[in-house]
Every structure is written in C-alpha cells, then in structure tokens.
Amino acid sequence: MKKACAFIIIMVLAVFLAGSGCTEKMSPTPASNNSGNEFEGQKLTVCSGAGLIKPMNELIGNFENETGADIEVRYGGSAEIFGFLTSKECDVFIPGDYHYTEQAMERNYVLNDSVENLTRHIPVIAVPAGNPANISKLEDLAKPGVKLALGDPNGPAIGRVAEKICTKAGILPEVQNNTIVKTATVNQLLIYLTSGDADAAIIWEDMANWSEASGKIKVVPIPEKQNKIQTIPTAVSTYTEDPKLAEAFNTYIAGDEAKAIWEKWGFEPCSS
C-alpha cells in the first residue's frame, strides 16, 4: 500500500514538473509599451534541457514581450532534445552539457559561429530533508543499503555526468548496485527525493532554488577535484527557417539582460 501511494505521488508530481519530451507553449505576457516588435507573429521552436525550465520560461516570456515573437519550447533530457535537433524540429538548441553541442557542431547540426556559453552547471549530491542515510560525501553513495536515484546516462546530461563522477571516484559498481531508478530527466530525480523514495541523487546545484525543493532537500557539495562541472551552451540550428529570429533569441539569452535571470535561478553565468 505504501509503495502504491508513493507511486501515485510520483506520477502526479511528474505531471507538475517538466517531464520527458514536454512541449510547452508560453502563456502570453502582458504587452509592453515597446513600439519596435520586430518579430511580431513570427514563430520559433526552442529545444531546451528540462533542468533549465525555470529560467527559460522567464527568458522566453520576456523575449516574446519585447519582440512580438511566438516561441514554442520543447523540454527534455539532453539526449532527447538532440534527437529533436537531428530531426530538424528545433531552431535553437540548449542542452544541459556542452558535450551535446560539440556533437552537433561536428555533424553540422548547428551554426558553429552561433555557439554561446550561457552558465556553469554544477553537479551536487541532494538528499531528502533529515538526510536519513547520513550522506556527507561522495563515497557515501557506495554504502550498502543506500537507495539512489540517478539520471539515465543515455538521457539527461546529469546522468552522463554522474556516471563520470562516480567512475572517477572509483565507486561506480557500488553506486550502480544501489541505484533504484534511472530517470529520463533531471526533474524526475527531484520527485524521488521529495517523496522520500530515494536517499540521495546527483542533481544540478541550481535546482535547490526551486519552490518544489524548498525545505524538502539538503545539498551536499561535491569537491571540485572530484566534480565534473559543465557548461550550458546555446546554438542556432542549421535547419532553422528564420535565422534572423533564431540568432536574436540566441543572443538575447546569452546577453547582459539575461544574466540577472540566470543568477536569480541559482546559475553562475559565464563571462562574456
């Protein structure tokens, strides 16, 4: 009965948080007094890592308000949105890890000169409030009986990164034995923590600022020498049918105005 209830809670929360392959149409932002709506009525599809949903929703709303553009955003794991890119289904590609942008550049899926580094993406260990398994360091993830939720290495960027972190620390076999679930998006890891179904997960540091996490999780930092800190890039697809609009959005989310929004959501913007 307890497991059934936990499952129901997880499924309900999964609908609430950004899930795998989620397509989100932004709600209209109240019109500003700007007279120069340069892209009024023009449409753009943005493919973004699901872990970026909080700042991206705000950035997209602001951009629509300022330019008149109509933005559709598709959220998913980085590997999943890479699939959207290869299927020519997005104009701007924003994965949670530079690794995927490198692959896109090598295969001519994005315009190389459009690539902009947005922020650093810092992995941390997250545990439920109260820390029932007494996790205080990376090596504790290998202790017998610890229940771990990790991202799928073939799904969200955090899954691939977590596997590299544990391999570097020499604890991957034990961590794999302790893993009770591998999720398709980083957002789902937060669900397993807040519902108490996992003792620990490796997530992105900025997620601790989410309202869904407030008072429900504790962050255990990973020392930099053990960590694999990533960079979040953005790039324009070579397949876009509106390169001017795609480049304008790409530049906007990497610009000075956007930095305050990235910082608001716990990210560390890259230097210009």
Short mmCIF file of all heavy atoms in Angstrom, two decimals, residues 16-77:
data_model
loop_
_atom_site.label_atom_id
_atom_site.label_comp_id
_atom_site.label_asym_id
_atom_site.label_seq_id
_atom_site.Cartn_x
_atom_site.Cartn_y
_atom_site.Cartn_z
N PHE A 16 3.34 17.68 -12.86
CA PHE A 16 3.55 19.06 -12.45
C PHE A 16 4.90 19.60 -12.89
O PHE A 16 5.02 20.73 -13.35
CB PHE A 16 3.41 19.17 -10.93
CG PHE A 16 3.58 20.56 -10.41
CD1 PHE A 16 2.63 21.53 -10.65
CD2 PHE A 16 4.71 20.90 -9.68
CE1 PHE A 16 2.78 22.81 -10.17
CE2 PHE A 16 4.87 22.18 -9.20
CZ PHE A 16 3.90 23.13 -9.45
N LEU A 17 5.96 18.79 -12.73
CA LEU A 17 7.28 19.22 -13.14
C LEU A 17 7.45 18.95 -14.63
O LEU A 17 6.68 18.22 -15.23
CB LEU A 17 8.36 18.46 -12.36
CG LEU A 17 8.44 18.78 -10.86
CD1 LEU A 17 9.45 17.86 -10.20
CD2 LEU A 17 8.84 20.22 -10.64
N ALA A 18 8.47 19.53 -15.24
CA ALA A 18 8.71 19.28 -16.67
C ALA A 18 9.12 17.85 -16.84
O ALA A 18 10.09 17.40 -16.27
CB ALA A 18 9.81 20.21 -17.19
N GLY A 19 8.44 17.13 -17.68
CA GLY A 19 8.75 15.73 -17.90
C GLY A 19 9.49 15.53 -19.19
O GLY A 19 9.86 16.46 -19.88
N SER A 20 9.69 14.27 -19.53
CA SER A 20 10.42 13.91 -20.74
C SER A 20 9.66 14.37 -21.95
O SER A 20 8.47 14.12 -22.12
CB SER A 20 10.60 12.39 -20.78
OG SER A 20 11.13 12.00 -22.00
N GLY A 21 10.36 15.06 -22.85
CA GLY A 21 9.79 15.45 -24.11
C GLY A 21 8.64 16.43 -24.01
O GLY A 21 7.77 16.45 -24.86
N CYS A 22 8.60 17.22 -22.97
CA CYS A 22 7.49 18.14 -22.76
C CYS A 22 7.57 19.29 -23.74
O CYS A 22 8.61 19.89 -23.94
CB CYS A 22 7.55 18.68 -21.32
SG CYS A 22 6.39 20.01 -20.99
N THR A 23 6.43 19.60 -24.38
CA THR A 23 6.34 20.76 -25.23
C THR A 23 5.50 21.79 -24.51
O THR A 23 4.39 21.50 -24.09
CB THR A 23 5.67 20.42 -26.57
OG1 THR A 23 6.47 19.47 -27.24
CG2 THR A 23 5.52 21.66 -27.43
N GLU A 24 6.03 22.98 -24.33
CA GLU A 24 5.32 23.99 -23.55
C GLU A 24 5.15 25.24 -24.37
O GLU A 24 6.11 25.79 -24.90
CB GLU A 24 6.09 24.31 -22.27
CG GLU A 24 5.38 25.32 -21.41
CD GLU A 24 5.83 25.24 -19.97
OE1 GLU A 24 6.18 24.15 -19.51
OE2 GLU A 24 5.82 26.28 -19.31
N LYS A 25 3.92 25.67 -24.52
CA LYS A 25 3.62 26.95 -25.16
C LYS A 25 3.49 28.00 -24.08
O LYS A 25 2.70 27.85 -23.16
CB LYS A 25 2.31 26.85 -25.95
CG LYS A 25 1.93 28.17 -26.62
CD LYS A 25 2.94 28.55 -27.68
CE LYS A 25 2.61 29.91 -28.26
NZ LYS A 25 2.80 31.00 -27.33
N MET A 26 4.30 29.04 -24.15
CA MET A 26 4.32 30.03 -23.10
C MET A 26 3.02 30.82 -23.08
O MET A 26 2.46 31.16 -24.12
CB MET A 26 5.49 31.00 -23.32
CG MET A 26 6.84 30.30 -23.36
SD MET A 26 7.12 29.26 -21.93
CE MET A 26 6.97 30.47 -20.62
N SER A 27 2.53 31.13 -21.87
CA SER A 27 1.36 31.97 -21.73
C SER A 27 1.70 33.38 -22.19
O SER A 27 2.82 33.86 -21.97
CB SER A 27 0.90 32.02 -20.27
OG SER A 27 0.55 30.72 -19.83
N PRO A 28 0.77 34.05 -22.84
CA PRO A 28 1.07 35.40 -23.32
C PRO A 28 1.48 36.32 -22.17
O PRO A 28 0.86 36.30 -21.11
CB PRO A 28 -0.26 35.86 -23.94
CG PRO A 28 -1.00 34.59 -24.25
CD PRO A 28 -0.58 33.63 -23.19
N THR A 29 2.52 37.10 -22.39
CA THR A 29 2.96 38.08 -21.41
C THR A 29 2.25 39.39 -21.71
O THR A 29 2.09 39.75 -22.88
CB THR A 29 4.48 38.28 -21.52
OG1 THR A 29 5.09 37.01 -21.44
CG2 THR A 29 5.00 39.18 -20.43
N PRO A 30 1.81 40.11 -20.71
CA PRO A 30 1.14 41.39 -20.97
C PRO A 30 1.99 42.27 -21.88
O PRO A 30 3.20 42.37 -21.72
CB PRO A 30 1.00 42.00 -19.57
CG PRO A 30 0.97 40.83 -18.65
CD PRO A 30 1.89 39.82 -19.26
N ALA A 31 1.35 42.88 -22.84
CA ALA A 31 2.07 43.68 -23.83
C ALA A 31 2.77 44.84 -23.16
O ALA A 31 2.25 45.48 -22.26
CB ALA A 31 1.10 44.20 -24.89
N SER A 32 4.00 45.10 -23.60
CA SER A 32 4.73 46.24 -23.08
C SER A 32 4.44 47.45 -23.95
O SER A 32 3.72 47.37 -24.94
CB SER A 32 6.24 45.94 -23.09
OG SER A 32 6.71 45.91 -24.42
N ASN A 33 5.06 48.55 -23.60
CA ASN A 33 4.89 49.76 -24.39
C ASN A 33 5.90 49.86 -25.52
O ASN A 33 6.03 50.89 -26.15
CB ASN A 33 4.99 50.99 -23.47
CG ASN A 33 3.85 51.04 -22.48
OD1 ASN A 33 2.72 50.68 -22.82
ND2 ASN A 33 4.13 51.49 -21.25
N ASN A 34 6.68 48.75 -25.73
CA ASN A 34 7.67 48.79 -26.80
C ASN A 34 6.98 48.97 -28.14
O ASN A 34 6.00 48.30 -28.45
CB ASN A 34 8.48 47.48 -26.82
CG ASN A 34 9.36 47.36 -25.59
OD1 ASN A 34 9.60 48.33 -24.90
ND2 ASN A 34 9.82 46.14 -25.33
N SER A 35 7.48 49.89 -28.93
CA SER A 35 6.90 50.10 -30.25
C SER A 35 7.60 49.27 -31.31
O SER A 35 7.08 49.11 -32.40
CB SER A 35 6.99 51.60 -30.62
OG SER A 35 8.35 52.03 -30.59
N GLY A 36 8.76 48.73 -31.00
CA GLY A 36 9.54 48.00 -32.00
C GLY A 36 9.42 46.50 -31.87
O GLY A 36 10.39 45.84 -31.55
N ASN A 37 8.23 45.92 -32.05
CA ASN A 37 8.07 44.48 -32.02
C ASN A 37 8.53 43.89 -33.34
O ASN A 37 7.73 43.55 -34.23
CB ASN A 37 6.61 44.11 -31.72
CG ASN A 37 6.24 44.38 -30.27
OD1 ASN A 37 7.11 44.64 -29.45
ND2 ASN A 37 4.96 44.32 -29.97
N GLU A 38 9.83 43.73 -33.44
CA GLU A 38 10.48 43.40 -34.70
C GLU A 38 10.03 42.08 -35.30
O GLU A 38 9.96 41.93 -36.52
CB GLU A 38 12.00 43.36 -34.47
CG GLU A 38 12.82 43.05 -35.71
CD GLU A 38 14.30 43.00 -35.41
OE1 GLU A 38 14.68 43.17 -34.23
OE2 GLU A 38 15.08 42.79 -36.36
N PHE A 39 9.70 41.11 -34.43
CA PHE A 39 9.37 39.78 -34.93
C PHE A 39 7.90 39.42 -34.69
O PHE A 39 7.57 38.25 -34.48
CB PHE A 39 10.28 38.75 -34.27
CG PHE A 39 11.75 38.98 -34.53
CD1 PHE A 39 12.59 39.42 -33.51
CD2 PHE A 39 12.29 38.78 -35.79
CE1 PHE A 39 13.94 39.64 -33.74
CE2 PHE A 39 13.63 39.00 -36.03
CZ PHE A 39 14.47 39.42 -35.00
N GLU A 40 7.04 40.41 -34.73
CA GLU A 40 5.62 40.21 -34.44
C GLU A 40 5.04 39.06 -35.28
O GLU A 40 5.11 39.06 -36.52
CB GLU A 40 4.84 41.50 -34.74
CG GLU A 40 3.38 41.46 -34.33
CD GLU A 40 3.21 41.48 -32.83
OE1 GLU A 40 3.91 42.27 -32.16
OE2 GLU A 40 2.39 40.69 -32.33
N GLY A 41 4.49 38.05 -34.57
CA GLY A 41 3.82 36.93 -35.24
C GLY A 41 4.74 35.86 -35.79
O GLY A 41 4.26 34.81 -36.23
N GLN A 42 6.05 36.07 -35.75
CA GLN A 42 6.97 35.05 -36.27
C GLN A 42 7.16 33.96 -35.21
O GLN A 42 7.17 34.22 -34.02
CB GLN A 42 8.32 35.69 -36.64
CG GLN A 42 8.22 36.64 -37.83
CD GLN A 42 9.54 37.33 -38.13
OE1 GLN A 42 9.61 38.57 -38.19
NE2 GLN A 42 10.58 36.56 -38.32
N LYS A 43 7.33 32.72 -35.68
CA LYS A 43 7.38 31.57 -34.78
C LYS A 43 8.79 30.98 -34.71
O LYS A 43 9.53 31.00 -35.68
CB LYS A 43 6.39 30.50 -35.24
CG LYS A 43 4.94 30.97 -35.22
CD LYS A 43 4.00 29.86 -35.64
CE LYS A 43 2.55 30.34 -35.67
NZ LYS A 43 2.07 30.74 -34.34
N LEU A 44 9.11 30.44 -33.51
CA LEU A 44 10.42 29.83 -33.27
C LEU A 44 10.23 28.65 -32.32
O LEU A 44 9.44 28.72 -31.40
CB LEU A 44 11.36 30.86 -32.63
CG LEU A 44 12.85 30.51 -32.60
CD1 LEU A 44 13.45 30.68 -33.99
CD2 LEU A 44 13.59 31.39 -31.61
N THR A 45 10.96 27.57 -32.58
CA THR A 45 10.94 26.41 -31.68
C THR A 45 12.29 26.30 -30.98
O THR A 45 13.32 26.21 -31.64
CB THR A 45 10.64 25.11 -32.44
OG1 THR A 45 9.35 25.23 -33.06
CG2 THR A 45 10.61 23.92 -31.48
N VAL A 46 12.26 26.31 -29.65
CA VAL A 46 13.45 26.18 -28.83
C VAL A 46 13.45 24.81 -28.18
O VAL A 46 12.44 24.39 -27.61
CB VAL A 46 13.48 27.29 -27.74
CG1 VAL A 46 14.62 27.06 -26.76
CG2 VAL A 46 13.59 28.66 -28.39
N CYS A 47 14.58 24.10 -28.26
CA CYS A 47 14.74 22.81 -27.60
C CYS A 47 15.70 22.98 -26.43
O CYS A 47 16.86 23.34 -26.63
CB CYS A 47 15.27 21.76 -28.57
SG CYS A 47 14.10 21.38 -29.90
N SER A 48 15.21 22.73 -25.22
CA SER A 48 15.99 23.02 -24.02
C SER A 48 16.02 21.84 -23.07
O SER A 48 15.03 21.10 -22.94
CB SER A 48 15.38 24.23 -23.30
OG SER A 48 15.95 24.43 -22.02
N GLY A 49 17.16 21.68 -22.38
CA GLY A 49 17.24 20.69 -21.32
C GLY A 49 16.18 20.97 -20.27
O GLY A 49 15.93 22.12 -19.91
N ALA A 50 15.54 19.91 -19.76
CA ALA A 50 14.43 20.08 -18.82
C ALA A 50 14.85 20.76 -17.53
O ALA A 50 14.05 21.44 -16.88
CB ALA A 50 13.80 18.72 -18.51
N GLY A 51 16.11 20.61 -17.13
CA GLY A 51 16.59 21.25 -15.91
C GLY A 51 16.67 22.76 -15.99
O GLY A 51 16.88 23.42 -14.97
N LEU A 52 16.49 23.31 -17.18
CA LEU A 52 16.57 24.76 -17.37
C LEU A 52 15.19 25.41 -17.41
O LEU A 52 15.07 26.59 -17.73
CB LEU A 52 17.31 25.07 -18.68
CG LEU A 52 18.65 24.38 -18.89
CD1 LEU A 52 19.25 24.79 -20.24
CD2 LEU A 52 19.62 24.70 -17.77
N ILE A 53 14.15 24.65 -17.07
CA ILE A 53 12.78 25.12 -17.27
C ILE A 53 12.48 26.43 -16.56
O ILE A 53 11.78 27.29 -17.10
CB ILE A 53 11.77 24.02 -16.87
CG1 ILE A 53 10.35 24.43 -17.25
CG2 ILE A 53 11.88 23.67 -15.39
CD1 ILE A 53 9.34 23.31 -17.10
N LYS A 54 13.00 26.63 -15.36
CA LYS A 54 12.65 27.84 -14.59
C LYS A 54 13.18 29.11 -15.26
O LYS A 54 12.39 30.02 -15.56
CB LYS A 54 13.17 27.72 -13.16
CG LYS A 54 12.65 26.50 -12.40
CD LYS A 54 11.17 26.56 -12.15
CE LYS A 54 10.72 25.41 -11.27
NZ LYS A 54 9.30 25.46 -10.91
N PRO A 55 14.50 29.24 -15.49
CA PRO A 55 14.96 30.47 -16.15
C PRO A 55 14.48 30.58 -17.59
O PRO A 55 14.18 31.68 -18.06
CB PRO A 55 16.49 30.36 -16.08
CG PRO A 55 16.78 28.91 -15.89
CD PRO A 55 15.63 28.38 -15.10
N MET A 56 14.38 29.44 -18.30
CA MET A 56 13.97 29.51 -19.71
C MET A 56 12.55 30.03 -19.84
O MET A 56 12.26 30.84 -20.74
CB MET A 56 14.11 28.14 -20.37
CG MET A 56 15.54 27.71 -20.66
SD MET A 56 16.47 28.91 -21.66
CE MET A 56 15.41 29.04 -23.09
N ASN A 57 11.64 29.59 -18.99
CA ASN A 57 10.27 30.11 -19.07
C ASN A 57 10.24 31.63 -18.92
O ASN A 57 9.52 32.33 -19.63
CB ASN A 57 9.40 29.47 -18.00
CG ASN A 57 8.91 28.09 -18.39
OD1 ASN A 57 9.09 27.64 -19.52
ND2 ASN A 57 8.28 27.40 -17.45
N GLU A 58 11.04 32.13 -17.99
CA GLU A 58 11.07 33.58 -17.77
C GLU A 58 11.73 34.31 -18.93
O GLU A 58 11.22 35.35 -19.40
CB GLU A 58 11.80 33.89 -16.46
CG GLU A 58 11.73 35.35 -16.06
CD GLU A 58 12.20 35.60 -14.64
OE1 GLU A 58 12.35 34.65 -13.85
OE2 GLU A 58 12.42 36.79 -14.32
N LEU A 59 12.83 33.78 -19.41
CA LEU A 59 13.52 34.40 -20.54
C LEU A 59 12.66 34.42 -21.80
O LEU A 59 12.61 35.43 -22.51
CB LEU A 59 14.83 33.66 -20.82
CG LEU A 59 15.94 33.85 -19.78
CD1 LEU A 59 17.02 32.78 -19.95
CD2 LEU A 59 16.55 35.24 -19.89
N ILE A 60 11.97 33.32 -22.05
CA ILE A 60 11.12 33.25 -23.24
C ILE A 60 9.97 34.24 -23.13
O ILE A 60 9.63 34.93 -24.10
CB ILE A 60 10.62 31.81 -23.44
CG1 ILE A 60 11.77 30.92 -23.93
CG2 ILE A 60 9.46 31.76 -24.45
CD1 ILE A 60 11.46 29.44 -23.92
N GLY A 61 9.35 34.30 -21.95
CA GLY A 61 8.26 35.26 -21.77
C GLY A 61 8.72 36.69 -22.02
O GLY A 61 8.02 37.48 -22.68
N ASN A 62 9.89 37.04 -21.51
CA ASN A 62 10.41 38.39 -21.71
C ASN A 62 10.71 38.66 -23.18
O ASN A 62 10.42 39.75 -23.70
CB ASN A 62 11.69 38.58 -20.89
CG ASN A 62 11.43 38.66 -19.40
OD1 ASN A 62 10.29 38.73 -18.97
ND2 ASN A 62 12.49 38.62 -18.61
N PHE A 63 11.31 37.67 -23.85
CA PHE A 63 11.66 37.85 -25.25
C PHE A 63 10.40 38.03 -26.11
O PHE A 63 10.36 38.88 -27.00
CB PHE A 63 12.47 36.65 -25.75
CG PHE A 63 12.98 36.79 -27.16
CD1 PHE A 63 14.12 37.53 -27.44
CD2 PHE A 63 12.31 36.18 -28.22
CE1 PHE A 63 14.59 37.67 -28.74
CE2 PHE A 63 12.78 36.31 -29.52
CZ PHE A 63 13.92 37.05 -29.79
N GLU A 64 9.37 37.23 -25.83
CA GLU A 64 8.12 37.38 -26.58
C GLU A 64 7.53 38.76 -26.38
O GLU A 64 7.06 39.40 -27.33
CB GLU A 64 7.11 36.32 -26.11
CG GLU A 64 7.41 34.91 -26.60
CD GLU A 64 6.34 33.93 -26.16
OE1 GLU A 64 5.86 34.04 -25.01
OE2 GLU A 64 6.00 33.04 -26.96
N ASN A 65 7.56 39.24 -25.15
CA ASN A 65 7.00 40.55 -24.83
C ASN A 65 7.74 41.67 -25.54
O ASN A 65 7.14 42.64 -26.02
CB ASN A 65 7.03 40.77 -23.32
CG ASN A 65 6.31 42.02 -22.89
OD1 ASN A 65 5.19 42.28 -23.31
ND2 ASN A 65 6.94 42.80 -22.02
N GLU A 66 9.06 41.53 -25.61
CA GLU A 66 9.88 42.60 -26.19
C GLU A 66 9.89 42.59 -27.71
O GLU A 66 10.13 43.63 -28.33
CB GLU A 66 11.31 42.48 -25.67
CG GLU A 66 11.45 42.78 -24.17
CD GLU A 66 12.86 42.58 -23.66
OE1 GLU A 66 13.77 42.42 -24.49
OE2 GLU A 66 13.04 42.57 -22.43
N THR A 67 9.68 41.42 -28.31
CA THR A 67 9.85 41.32 -29.77
C THR A 67 8.59 40.96 -30.53
O THR A 67 8.55 41.12 -31.75
CB THR A 67 10.90 40.25 -30.10
OG1 THR A 67 10.38 38.96 -29.72
CG2 THR A 67 12.22 40.51 -29.38
N GLY A 68 7.56 40.46 -29.83
CA GLY A 68 6.36 40.03 -30.53
C GLY A 68 6.46 38.63 -31.12
O GLY A 68 5.51 38.16 -31.75
N ALA A 69 7.57 37.95 -30.91
CA ALA A 69 7.75 36.60 -31.45
C ALA A 69 6.87 35.61 -30.71
O ALA A 69 6.44 35.84 -29.58
CB ALA A 69 9.21 36.19 -31.35
N ASP A 70 6.61 34.48 -31.35
CA ASP A 70 5.80 33.40 -30.78
C ASP A 70 6.73 32.20 -30.59
O ASP A 70 7.13 31.55 -31.57
CB ASP A 70 4.66 33.07 -31.74
CG ASP A 70 3.72 32.02 -31.19
OD1 ASP A 70 3.86 31.65 -30.02
OD2 ASP A 70 2.85 31.54 -31.96
N ILE A 71 7.09 31.91 -29.33
CA ILE A 71 8.09 30.88 -29.04
C ILE A 71 7.43 29.61 -28.48
O ILE A 71 6.67 29.69 -27.51
CB ILE A 71 9.14 31.37 -28.01
CG1 ILE A 71 9.71 32.72 -28.43
CG2 ILE A 71 10.23 30.32 -27.82
CD1 ILE A 71 10.53 32.70 -29.68
N GLU A 72 7.72 28.49 -29.10
CA GLU A 72 7.34 27.19 -28.53
C GLU A 72 8.62 26.55 -27.99
O GLU A 72 9.65 26.56 -28.66
CB GLU A 72 6.75 26.27 -29.60
CG GLU A 72 6.36 24.90 -29.05
CD GLU A 72 5.87 23.97 -30.13
OE1 GLU A 72 6.72 23.25 -30.71
OE2 GLU A 72 4.66 23.95 -30.42
N VAL A 73 8.55 26.02 -26.77
CA VAL A 73 9.73 25.39 -26.18
C VAL A 73 9.44 23.93 -25.93
O VAL A 73 8.39 23.56 -25.42
CB VAL A 73 10.18 26.12 -24.89
CG1 VAL A 73 9.09 26.17 -23.87
CG2 VAL A 73 11.44 25.48 -24.32
N ARG A 74 10.41 23.09 -26.28
CA ARG A 74 10.32 21.66 -26.06
C ARG A 74 11.38 21.27 -25.04
O ARG A 74 12.58 21.43 -25.28
CB ARG A 74 10.52 20.89 -27.37
CG ARG A 74 9.57 21.31 -28.48
CD ARG A 74 9.71 20.45 -29.72
NE ARG A 74 9.19 19.10 -29.48
CZ ARG A 74 9.15 18.15 -30.41
NH1 ARG A 74 9.62 18.40 -31.63
NH2 ARG A 74 8.67 16.96 -30.13
N TYR A 75 10.94 20.79 -23.88
CA TYR A 75 11.86 20.39 -22.82
C TYR A 75 12.03 18.88 -22.82
O TYR A 75 11.09 18.13 -23.07
CB TYR A 75 11.32 20.82 -21.45
CG TYR A 75 11.29 22.30 -21.22
CD1 TYR A 75 10.09 22.99 -21.11
CD2 TYR A 75 12.47 23.03 -21.11
CE1 TYR A 75 10.05 24.35 -20.89
CE2 TYR A 75 12.45 24.39 -20.88
CZ TYR A 75 11.24 25.05 -20.78
OH TYR A 75 11.23 26.41 -20.56
N GLY A 76 13.25 18.44 -22.48
CA GLY A 76 13.52 17.01 -22.37
C GLY A 76 14.94 16.79 -21.90
O GLY A 76 15.69 17.74 -21.64
N GLY A 77 15.33 15.52 -21.76
CA GLY A 77 16.72 15.20 -21.47
C GLY A 77 17.59 15.65 -22.64
O GLY A 77 17.12 15.75 -23.78
#
